[in-house]
C-alpha cells in the first residue's frame, strides 16, 4: 500500500504490524463485496446484550435479519453494524449525508429489504417494533446519536486495531490490511468529561503518555488531534464494551481509502 495515514506521535512511535486478528480479505484482483463471498462480521445488541457473528453467505445473513425482526417483535430494541466494511465499497454512499434514514412498515419483507440496503451503505441500523400497530420501525445512521457517544465515551479504551482498505476508481478492493501493536505493547485512550484526553503506551520496559483534547461535532463525529491525522471520525458503534470509528479519504491519486479504528473498553476505568 503506497499511502499511509499520518499518525499521532505515540502511534508513530509504537510499532504496528499486520495481524491475523479479523484481517480482511486482501485479493490481488476483484472485490469480495461484488464478485465473491460476502463475508460479514456483525456486531449487534439485543436490549443490553452485545454480541458478534461472522457470516459467510447471503443465506446466513437473511436468517440473521429474520432473527432480528423476531427479537424486535418480542419487544427488544435491536441495533447492528457490519464491522467488515470490505463487504461493499460504494463510493457514492460512503461519507455521504449523516442524516438519519428511517422506515415504518408492517411488512417483514420490506423491513428486511430496507435493513439490507442500509447495511450495504455501511450504516448502523436500529430496529424496534410497535405491537399495538404491528409496525416495525427502523433508523440508520453513519454516526451514532450524540447522546449515545457522550453517555458511553468517558473512560479508558484499549486500542485494538486499525483497518486500512484501498479501492480503485471503480470501487474494487485493491488492498486491505489490519494493524495492531506488536511486542506485547498496549495502547490506552482515556477520554475525560472535561474534554481532555490522554494516550498511554505500555510495554514490558516502560510507559509513555501524551495529552490532548477531544470534542464531538454537531453531527456526533469524534474529533481530536490525538486521532490519526487529527481529524473527525464517524462513531459507527459505541457501547459500554466496544467503540468503532471510521473515516474515508476519497479520490486520492491511488484511489479511495477507508480507515477503521477498533477499541475495547477497560471496565475498571469506565465511569
Amino acid at each position: 500500500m503506497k499511502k499511509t495515514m499520518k499518525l499521532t506521535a505515540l502511534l508513530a512511535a509504537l510499532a504496528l504490524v499486520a495481524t491475523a486478528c479479523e484481517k480482511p480479505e486482501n485479493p490481488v484482483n476483484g472485490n469480495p463485496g461484488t464478485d465473491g463471498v460476502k463475508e460479514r462480521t456483525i456486531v449487534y445488541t439485543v436490549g443490553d446484550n452485545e454480541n458478534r457473528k461472522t457470516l459467510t453467505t447471503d443465506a446466513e445473513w437473511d436468517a440473521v435479519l429474520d432473527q432480528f425482526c423476531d427479537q424486535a417483535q418480542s419487544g427488544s430494541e435491536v441495533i447492528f453494524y457490519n464491522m467488515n466494511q470490505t463487504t461493499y465499497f460504494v463510493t457514492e454512499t460512503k461519507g455521504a449525508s449523516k442524516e438519519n434514514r428511517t422506515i415504518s412498515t408492517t411488512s417483514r419483507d420490506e423491513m428486511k429489504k430496507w435493513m439490507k440496503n442500509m447495511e450495504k451503505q455501511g450504516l448502523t441500523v436500529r430496529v424496534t417494533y410497535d405491537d399495538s400497530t404491528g409496525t416495525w420501525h427502523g433508523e440508520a445512521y453513519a454516526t451514532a446519536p450524540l447522546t449515545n457517544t457522550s453517555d458511553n465515551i468517558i473512560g479508558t479504551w484499549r486500542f485494538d486495531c486499525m483497518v486500512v482498505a484501498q479501492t480503485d476508481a471503480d470501487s474494487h478492493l485493491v488492498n486491505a490490511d489490519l494493524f495492531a501493536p506488536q511486542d506485547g505493547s498496549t495502547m490506552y485512550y482515556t477520554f475525560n468529561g472535561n474534554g481532555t484526553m490522554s494516550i498511554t503506551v505500555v510495554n514490558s520496559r516502560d510507559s509513555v503518555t501524551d495529552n490532548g483534547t477531544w470534542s464531538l461535532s454537531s453531527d456526533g463525529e469524534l474529533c481530536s488531534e490525538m486521532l490519526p491525522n487529527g481529524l473527525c471520525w464517524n462513531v459507527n458503534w459505541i457501547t459500554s464494551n466496544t467503540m468503532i470509528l471510521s473515516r474515508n479519504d476519497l479520490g486520492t491519486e491511488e484511489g479511495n481509502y477507508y480507515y477503521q479504528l477498533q477499541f475495547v473498553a477497560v471496565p475498571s476505568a469506565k465511569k
Side-chain angles (χ1 to χ4, degrees):
M1 181 178 297
K2 297 180 181 179
K3 181 182 175 69
T4 57
M5 296 197 73
K6 176 183 176 183
L7 304 179
T8 64
L10 279 184
L11 271 172
L14 178 66
L16 297 174
V17 294
T19 175
C21 175
E22 302 217 8
K23 188 179 188 299
E25 293 297 324
N26 188 7
V28 175
N29 295 296
N31 179 1
T34 57
D35 307 319
V37 175
K38 296 180 175 63
E39 181 170 307
R40 300 168 175 86
T41 301
I42 304 296
V43 58
Y44 64 97
T45 58
V46 179
D48 296 328
N49 299 316
E50 180 179 310
N51 293 282
R52 295 185 189 184
K53 285 188 176 182
T54 298
L55 311 172
T56 58
T57 68
D58 283 338
E60 291 176 342
W61 178 222
D62 197 70
V64 167
L65 290 176
D66 266 321
Q67 175 185 317
F68 288 161
C69 286
D70 289 341
Q71 289 165 327
Q73 202 167 6
S74 297
S76 297
E77 176 186 73
V78 179
I79 304 175
F80 69 85
Y81 172 69
N82 181 6
M83 295 175 62
N84 186 357
Q85 286 299 287
T86 58
T87 303
Y88 304 98
F89 282 102
V90 186
T91 305
E92 293 78 8
T93 58
K94 287 187 179 298
S97 172
K98 302 296 191 301
E99 294 180 1
N100 288 348
R101 287 102 163 150
T102 61
I103 188 175
S104 293
T105 179
T106 58
S107 168
R108 175 183 288 249
D109 288 341
E110 183 180 5
M111 188 66 192
K112 287 172 59 180
K113 181 179 179 181
W114 177 85
M115 292 159 73
K116 289 178 181 178
N117 186 37
M118 295 300 101
E119 180 259 350
K120 284 182 180 179
Q121 295 184 38
L123 302 176
T124 303
V125 178
R126 174 179 176 268
V127 179
T128 58
Y129 183 80
D130 185 346
D131 189 56
S132 64
T133 61
T135 302
W136 281 277
H137 299 283
E139 64 175 323
Y141 43 82
T143 298
L146 201 62
T147 53
N148 287 29
T149 304
S150 58
D151 286 347
N152 285 294
I153 194 171
I154 304 304
T156 298
W157 299 82
R158 175 176 56 81
F159 170 70
D160 191 22
C161 60
M162 175 172 68
V163 176
V164 183
Q166 178 191 8
T167 67
D168 61 21
D170 295 320
S171 297
H172 293 127
L173 184 63
V174 174
N175 203 352
D177 288 301
L178 188 150
F179 300 90
Q182 67 169 330
D183 298 333
S185 297
T186 307
M187 176 180 285
Y188 299 99
Y189 281 64
T190 298
F191 296 88
N192 302 311
N194 62 1
T196 62
M197 66 175 292
S198 63
I199 302 179
T200 301
V201 176
V202 180
N203 56 39
S204 59
R205 300 178 300 277
D206 53 22
S207 66
V208 181
T209 298
D210 197 5
N211 299 301
T213 61
W214 69 277
S215 63
L216 297 177
S217 72
S218 58
D219 288 331
E221 295 172 320
L222 176 58
C223 306
S224 174
E225 75 276 17
M226 306 298 286
L227 294 171
N229 274 22
L231 296 171
C232 295
W233 290 66
N234 288 333
V235 184
N236 302 105
W237 186 267
I238 184 165
T239 65
S240 59
N241 304 310
T242 308
M243 179 166 64
I244 303 172
L245 311 178
S246 71
R247 64 174 298 270
N248 303 308
D249 192 1
L250 306 178
T252 73
E253 292 182 0
E254 297 88 13
N256 303 313
Y257 284 83
Y258 174 84
Y259 304 97
Q260 184 185 83
L261 303 176
Q262 298 177 21
F263 300 85
V264 178
V266 179
S268 62
K270 294 292 285 180
K271 63 178 181 179

